[in-house]
């Protein structure tokens, strides 16, 4: 019985030490593909981060241009409003001048008619 126990114990110890330990080559075989994949992923992440930084810079530039265009638009709207007011004022002045010219033309016609009548009366004498 002691022989059997020793035999089983010996067999157990041999089995554990033979199959239970990982060799350096085995570990390297298992870790190398993972290290390669991790390296590739790190490169992709770095590339994506660079693209994100580039996009952030472009967005900041666009926002700056947007604020510039917005202020230019506000200035243009103000100038348009001022131009409309000036046009309205000019139109009013032109209409007033046209009315005065029409009145002057009517007075001139009336004066011409009076002068014509006076000339005719003067000729008959």
């Amino acid at each position: 019985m002691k022989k059997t126990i020793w035999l089983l114990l010996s067999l157990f110890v041999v089995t554990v030490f033979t199959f239970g330990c990982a060799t350096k080559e085995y570990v390297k075989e298992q870790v190398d593909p993972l290290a390669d994949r991790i390296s590739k992923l790190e490169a992709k992440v770095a590339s994506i981060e660079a693209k994100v930084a580039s996009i952030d810079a472009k967005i900041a530039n666009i926002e700056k241009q947007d604020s510039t265009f917005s202020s230019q638009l506000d200035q243009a709207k103000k100038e348009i409003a001022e131009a409309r007011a000036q046009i309205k004022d000019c139109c009013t002045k032109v209409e007033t001048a046209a009315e005065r010219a029409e009145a002057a033309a009517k007075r001139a016609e009336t004066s011409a008619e009076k002068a014509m009548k006076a000339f005719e009366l003067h000729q008959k004498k």
Side-chain angles (χ1 to χ4, degrees):
M1 173 95 168
K2 276 188 175 187
K3 275 186 173 185
T4 311
I5 292 177
W6 278 107
L7 183 61
L8 286 175
L9 188 60
S10 302
L11 187 60
F12 176 74
V13 169
V14 170
T15 305
V16 168
F17 284 113
T18 304
F19 297 107
C21 297
T23 63
K24 287 182 183 181
E25 290 179 24
Y26 176 78
V27 171
K28 187 175 180 181
E29 287 175 6
Q30 298 300 314
V31 172
D32 281 348
L34 294 176
D36 289 342
R37 288 173 66 189
I38 289 171
S39 297
K40 289 177 185 176
L41 289 174
E42 286 174 344
K44 284 183 181 179
V45 167
S47 172
I48 290 170
E49 286 176 347
K51 288 178 183 178
V52 167
S54 172
I55 291 170
D56 285 344
K58 288 178 183 178
I59 288 172
N61 188 22
I62 289 170
E63 287 174 346
K64 183 179 177 184
Q65 288 177 349
D66 182 45
S67 67
T68 301
F69 292 148
S70 197
S71 65
Q72 288 176 347
L73 179 63
D74 291 342
Q75 181 65 28
K77 285 179 181 179
K78 182 179 177 183
E79 290 173 2
I80 289 170
E82 290 173 0
R84 282 184 179 162
Q86 289 176 352
I87 290 170
K88 210 175 206 183
D89 185 46
C90 288
C91 286
T92 304
K93 288 179 182 178
V94 167
E95 287 174 356
T96 303
E99 288 172 0
R100 279 193 257 147
E102 285 178 7
K106 284 183 183 179
R107 286 193 308 268
E109 283 179 17
T110 306
S111 296
E113 287 176 7
K114 285 181 184 178
M116 196 71 127
K117 285 181 185 179
F119 179 72
E120 287 174 4
L121 286 177
H122 188 53
Q123 292 248 341
K124 287 185 181 179
K125 285 187 183 184

